């Protein structure tokens, strides 16, 4: 099986698809349902965000708290006894109705108040996929605090870089992850409380979730937050420096809700599975907030990845809408199509992908495996919600990210901000001001401002647009790495590497990989007295894994005598990457040592 990582269509070429299954699905009356958005062009033309305020039970001038939209209004209405969450753990299953989720999150908001959490305080979740994530996340919002999540694979250093920077007041964690918080606790002076979920006994120096929840009242008057008040914050990586805290406002719920409705096509009767972890923005916007706002039933699957486990989950829980990622799809493809025949996926209605380029082969094979095409969606931590996507009602061009959501304007611009025409490659940009756009970057206005120029928000991606307005991804414009769909900054990995006693200097790049999209590759020079060996390689890998993150370690390491640097001493990752890929090195006039 050949997998190309990037779309293979040529510019302007009409989609010629060998697999006619899609035509059957799309054109011969196989679209068995009427999507929530039946006609893209029509919806785009007349669209005004204001027309949808009332669907959130909100009007300008009124306070807006996402927890009201996501849970309270359902709990107080006809949806009260509808299942909000089906949790599937290793050996357990638990269901929560909207009413139960509302009352539990009220309790949690009371716990937060008891420990002095105030409006605007940053409260972190560093915990595996358990129902307490939903309870705590909504409780934090009810208390008017800012919810922030950390990926469970993070090591102590990664925790410190985020909680320390945000001056987090509380970390909610579990017994296994707690050690990683403890390891760096003295370096996070603002951190007052560590709250542990699911511990058998109360752990010294911590607050017990179970004990506090039992004692807390389930009545709580929600903080009257304003639409522009901060709601959640998420750390994300760029080319340089440590990860930055992207702040989202309560108003983002409008776009999270609308895209859940019109892109994911969610309805209250759906059983919906988003495979993303809540440590990433997809897990928040489409694992928690958007789908709850629609009033749908969310499946929360805690287990690990395996084709059998995933297929059984789709079948057993009668999933109707599924949102996943290209690496997962490629891993399923690797297991072959035959095993899909053992399962019944007939409840599935629409399937989606995000995070990295969705190769046309994945859509083709998806059609064979599930009888449905994956719909690609493009967005970013910073955009807060889906931006350019494929819609059930719109013809997919295999390999294209689709078209901008109604209410949004996207374009391709050159480096001076001039908009380019069809088929011209350039920087993917959007007109700023959409509801879910980040409101600031924590204590880093300069970084925030750097996204905006000449009336555009620049995404950091290279792309092009065809004459019919479909957008096509080319690659990142910067050094950000996407490995298994997870965003990793080379600087973070380099910093972790040079903390190892044997490493003198390190340069880190993303290397194309047929399954993971990219893998992290490091080039290392060693300190005097250390010699390259496989054992040392492995030791360095383990060191980064433990310290930084299990997903952010270099799968490949090359020991080199020197690294290409600019005269000012900056390592030129671009040169490392070109050499690795056997591509022309380009302009090296600023290179130090040639
Ligand atoms: C970057 C943002 C927001 C969901 C998770 C990613 C890449 C995202 C696609 C896509 C090609 C994509 C871009 C983007 N990306 N979606 N459909 N096709 N590339 O959020 O971690 O902030 O990463 O992921 O490079 O800029 P994120």
């Amino acid at each position: 099986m050949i997998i190309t990582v990037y779309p293979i269509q040529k510019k302007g070429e009409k989609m010629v698809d060998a697999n006619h299954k899609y035509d059957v699905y799309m054109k011969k009356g196989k679209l068995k349902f009427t999507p929530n958005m039946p006609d893209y062009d029509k919806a785009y033309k007349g669209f005004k965000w204001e027309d949808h305020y009332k669907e959130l039970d909100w009007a300008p001038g009124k306070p807006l708290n996402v927890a009201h939209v996501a849970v309270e209004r359902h709990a107080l209405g006809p949806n009260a006894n509808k299942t909000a969450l089906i949790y599937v753990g290793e050996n357990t299953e638990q269901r929560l109705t909207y009413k139960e989720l509302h009352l539990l999150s009220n309790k949690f908001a009371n716990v937060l108040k008891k420990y002095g959490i105030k409006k605007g305080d940053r409260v972190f979740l560093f915990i595996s996929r358990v129902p307490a994530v939903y309870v705590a996340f909504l409780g934090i919002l009810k208390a008017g605090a800012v919810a922030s999540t950390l990926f469970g694979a993070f090591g102590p250093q990664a925790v410190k870089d985020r909680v320390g920077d945000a001056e987090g007041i509380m970390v909610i964690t579990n017994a296994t992850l707690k050690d990683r918080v403890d390891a760096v606790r003295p370096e996070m002076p603002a951190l007052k409380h560590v709250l542990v979920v699911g511990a058998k006994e109360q752990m010294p120096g911590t607050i017990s979730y179970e004990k506090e929840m039992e004692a807390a009242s389930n009545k709580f008057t929600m903080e009257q937050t304003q639409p522009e008040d901060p709601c959640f914050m998420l750390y994300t990586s760029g080319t340089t420096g440590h990860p930055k805290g992207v702040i989202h406002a309560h108003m983002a719920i409008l776009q999270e809700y609308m895209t859940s409705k019109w892109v994911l096509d969610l309805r209250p009767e759906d059983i919906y599975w988003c495979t993303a972890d809540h440590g990433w923005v997809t897990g928040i916007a489409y694992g928690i907030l958007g789908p709850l706002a629609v009033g749908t039933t969310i499946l929360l699957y805690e287990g690990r990845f395996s084709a059998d486990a995933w297929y059984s989950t789709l079948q057993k829980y009668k999933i109707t809408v599924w949102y996943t990622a290209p690496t997962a799809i490629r891993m399923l493809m690797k297991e072959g199509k035959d095993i899909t025949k053992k399962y019944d996926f007939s409840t599935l209605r629409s399937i989606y992908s995000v995070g990295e380029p969705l190769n046309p082969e994945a859509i083709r094979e998806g059609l064979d495996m599930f009888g449905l095409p994956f719909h690609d969606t493009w967005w970013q931590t910073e955009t807060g919600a889906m931006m350019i996507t494929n819609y059930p009602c719109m013809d997919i061009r295999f390999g294209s990210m689709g078209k901008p959501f109604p209410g949004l304007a996207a374009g391709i611009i050159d480096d001076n901000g001039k908009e380019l025409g069809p088929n011209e490659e350039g920087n993917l940009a959007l007109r700023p001001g959409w509801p879910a756009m980040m409101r600031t970057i924590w204590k880093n206005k300069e970084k925030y401002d750097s996204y905006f120029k000449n009336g555009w928000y620049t995404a950091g991606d290279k792309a092009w647009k065809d004459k019919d307005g479909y957008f096509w991804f080319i690659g990142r414009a910067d050094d950000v790495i996407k490995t298994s769909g997870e965003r990793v900054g080379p600087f973070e990995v380099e910093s972790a590497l040079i903390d190892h006693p044997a490493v003198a200097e390190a340069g880190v790049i993303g290397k194309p990989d047929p399954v993971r999209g990219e893998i992290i590759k490091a080039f290392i020079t060693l300190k005097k007295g250390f010699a390259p060996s496989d054992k040392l390689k492995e030791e360095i890998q383990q060191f980064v894994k433990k310290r930084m993150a299990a997903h952010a370690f270099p799968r490949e390491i090359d020991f080199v005598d020197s690294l290409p640097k600019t005269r000012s001493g900056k390592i030129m990752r671009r040169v490392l990457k070109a050499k690795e890929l056997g591509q022309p090195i380009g302009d090296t006039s600023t290179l130090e040592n040639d």
Side-chain angles (χ1 to χ4, degrees):
M1 181 178 54
I2 303 159
I3 300 172
T4 47
V5 175
Y6 294 110
I8 52 164
Q9 262 79 22
K10 300 261 161 41
K11 277 182 208 162
E13 184 187 56
K14 211 170 165 291
M15 185 188 76
V16 187
D17 180 29
N19 188 333
H20 70 280
K21 285 205 168 124
Y22 178 68
D23 286 342
V24 174
Y25 166 83
M26 205 58 199
K27 307 238 170 62
K28 295 190 186 148
K30 256 299 191 73
L31 200 57
K32 289 192 213 123
F33 58 95
T34 311
N36 287 335
M37 181 217 277
D39 183 327
Y40 170 79
D41 292 323
K42 243 191 190 154
Y44 191 89
K45 235 179 170 172
F47 188 85
K48 283 203 205 80
W49 292 109
E50 302 89 274
D51 293 345
H52 302 275
Y53 288 165
K54 54 184 179 306
E55 291 173 63
L56 303 181
D57 189 23
W58 180 76
K62 278 183 31 178
L64 175 68
N65 190 312
V66 168
H68 172 71
V69 183
V71 72
E72 187 183 56
R73 65 184 176 131
H74 299 307
L76 302 177
N79 269 340
N81 296 319
K82 198 178 168 295
T83 305
L85 194 67
I86 306 174
Y87 161 65
V88 182
E90 202 66 44
N91 305 305
T92 44
E93 193 187 301
Q94 192 191 339
R95 286 171 195 246
L96 289 178
T97 64
Y98 273 92
K99 188 169 174 193
E100 285 166 331
L101 187 56
H102 175 53
L103 295 177
L104 286 169
S105 51
N106 274 353
K107 275 175 172 262
F108 195 75
N110 278 316
V111 175
L112 293 173
K113 285 280 162 189
K114 175 177 164 189
Y115 286 95
I117 301 297
K118 301 181 305 298
K119 190 174 172 192
D121 282 352
R122 281 79 50 213
V123 177
F124 280 79
L125 281 153
F126 182 42
I127 184 167
S128 58
R129 266 167 265 170
V130 290
V133 169
Y134 289 72
V135 172
F137 200 101
L138 294 164
I140 295 167
L141 304 190
K142 286 179 174 181
V146 183
S148 188
T149 58
L150 300 168
F151 188 39
F154 284 152
Q157 182 71 33
V159 170
K160 195 219 99 182
D161 286 345
R162 291 158 176 82
V163 179
D165 181 69
E167 293 157 55
I169 313 282
M170 180 187 270
V171 175
I172 299 154
T173 187
N174 61 20
T176 33
L177 294 175
K178 181 189 155 284
D179 290 350
R180 301 192 208 158
V181 182
D182 288 344
V184 283
R185 199 158 171 181
E187 296 166 66
M188 305 183 290
L191 181 63
K192 287 204 195 107
H193 308 291
V194 174
L195 185 144
V196 179
V197 179
K200 284 204 188 79
E201 283 165 32
Q202 179 153 6
M203 304 174 110
T206 69
I207 301 167
S208 156
Y209 175 78
E210 287 73 17
K211 224 162 115 186
E212 295 290 342
M213 288 293 278
E214 208 185 305
S217 155
N218 65 13
K219 293 196 175 52
F220 186 81
T221 310
M222 203 181 294
E223 190 72 39
Q224 305 261 296
T225 46
Q226 296 304 317
E228 292 304 309
D229 282 341
C231 170
F232 72 89
M233 126 187 239
L234 204 52
Y235 275 78
T236 196
S237 305
T239 292
T240 53
H242 287 291
K244 316 277 186 306
V246 169
I247 308 253
H248 287 291
H250 282 267
M251 196 63 203
I253 194 65
L254 176 61
Q255 194 176 341
E256 289 155 2
Y257 166 79
M258 285 307 298
T259 47
S260 294
K261 213 173 104 175
W262 282 5
V263 183
L264 297 175
D265 196 45
L266 286 177
R267 303 120 197 260
E269 58 275 19
D270 275 317
I271 301 173
Y272 159 73
W273 183 20
C274 168
T275 61
D277 189 89
H278 55 265
W280 308 112
V281 72
T282 309
I284 296 177
Y286 300 101
I288 306 176
L289 303 177
L292 287 180
V294 176
T296 210
T297 298
I298 297 172
L299 180 99
L300 175 63
Y301 173 77
E302 197 190 358
R304 290 185 156 265
F305 174 87
S306 87
D308 265 317
W310 276 34
Y311 293 149
S312 320
T313 303
L314 287 169
Q315 173 179 286
K316 180 169 175 202
Y317 294 95
K318 301 188 168 36
I319 302 298
T320 55
V321 179
W322 188 33
Y323 196 14
T324 188
T327 293
I329 299 167
R330 290 189 291 257
M331 280 159 74
L332 293 174
M333 281 160 63
K334 259 178 63 172
E335 302 289 318
K337 282 180 223 167
D338 280 354
I339 96 161
T340 57
K341 303 209 171 83
K342 292 197 305 201
Y343 297 92
D344 174 7
F345 301 128
S346 59
T347 55
L348 275 181
R349 186 175 79 246
S350 296
I351 56 181
Y352 300 85
S353 168
V354 67
E356 10 154 13
L358 177 67
N359 30 316
E361 288 83 346
I363 307 182
R364 287 197 188 100
E365 298 228 356
L367 273 158
D368 281 344
M369 299 195 292
F370 306 104
L372 299 169
F374 280 105
H375 294 77
D376 192 14
T377 63
W378 177 93
W379 57 294
Q380 308 177 292
T381 305
E382 295 92 327
T383 70
M386 294 178 190
M387 301 298 283
I388 298 177
T389 78
N390 289 281
Y391 310 85
C393 68
M394 187 180 88
D395 267 354
I396 292 172
R397 298 199 173 166
F398 289 24
S400 160
M401 306 186 284
K403 295 191 184 185
F405 190 79
L408 307 177
I412 303 293
I413 59 172
D414 69 12
D415 291 342
N416 302 315
K418 190 180 136 250
E419 190 166 1
L420 301 173
N423 300 340
E424 288 188 278
E425 292 182 7
N427 304 302
L428 179 56
L430 299 135
R431 290 292 184 195
W434 61 92
M437 190 176 91
M438 62 174 168
R439 293 308 198 259
T440 188
I441 286 184
W442 178 258
K443 293 197 168 161
N444 199 338
K445 183 160 182 322
E446 201 187 324
K447 175 70 192 171
Y448 176 76
D449 290 341
S450 73
Y451 285 87
F452 304 94
K453 239 195 336 220
N454 303 314
W456 291 98
Y457 162 92
T458 29
D461 283 349
K462 293 272 179 203
W464 60 280
K465 184 172 98 172
D466 68 23
K467 66 174 186 356
D468 302 314
Y470 282 81
F471 283 80
W472 301 75
F473 182 81
I474 299 169
R476 285 293 302 187
D478 56 19
D479 294 341
V480 165
I481 300 166
K482 268 292 170 130
T483 180
S484 302
E486 281 147 6
R487 183 160 158 183
V488 176
F491 176 81
E492 279 183 89
V493 186
E494 289 162 359
S495 307
L497 283 165
I498 54 175
D499 278 341
H500 186 280
V503 178
E505 292 175 312
V508 164
I509 60 160
K511 176 182 172 181
D513 179 83
V515 176
R516 292 190 165 85
E518 285 184 323
I519 56 159
I520 299 170
K521 170 147 195 176
F523 297 85
I524 286 174
T525 63
L526 292 174
K527 284 189 185 149
K528 271 208 175 77
F530 291 92
S533 73
D534 285 346
K535 197 169 151 260
L536 181 60
K537 234 183 233 183
E538 204 174 301
E539 192 190 301
I540 294 171
Q541 285 172 325
Q542 288 307 321
F543 178 83
V544 178
K545 224 181 201 178
K546 263 191 87 178
R547 212 180 154 80
M548 185 52 66
H551 68 286
F553 77 99
R555 278 176 198 272
E556 279 185 25
I557 293 180
D558 276 6
F559 295 114
V560 292
D561 294 333
S562 69
L563 290 166
K565 277 188 241 145
T566 60
R567 288 198 186 93
S568 60
K570 235 178 88 191
I571 293 168
M572 294 180 88
R573 300 186 190 115
R574 180 173 60 81
V575 174
L576 289 172
K577 189 153 184 168
K579 276 191 179 155
E580 177 68 31
L581 302 183
Q583 287 169 353
I585 290 168
D587 178 17
T588 54
S589 56
T590 55
L591 256 176
E592 171 202 59
N593 44 0
D594 60 11

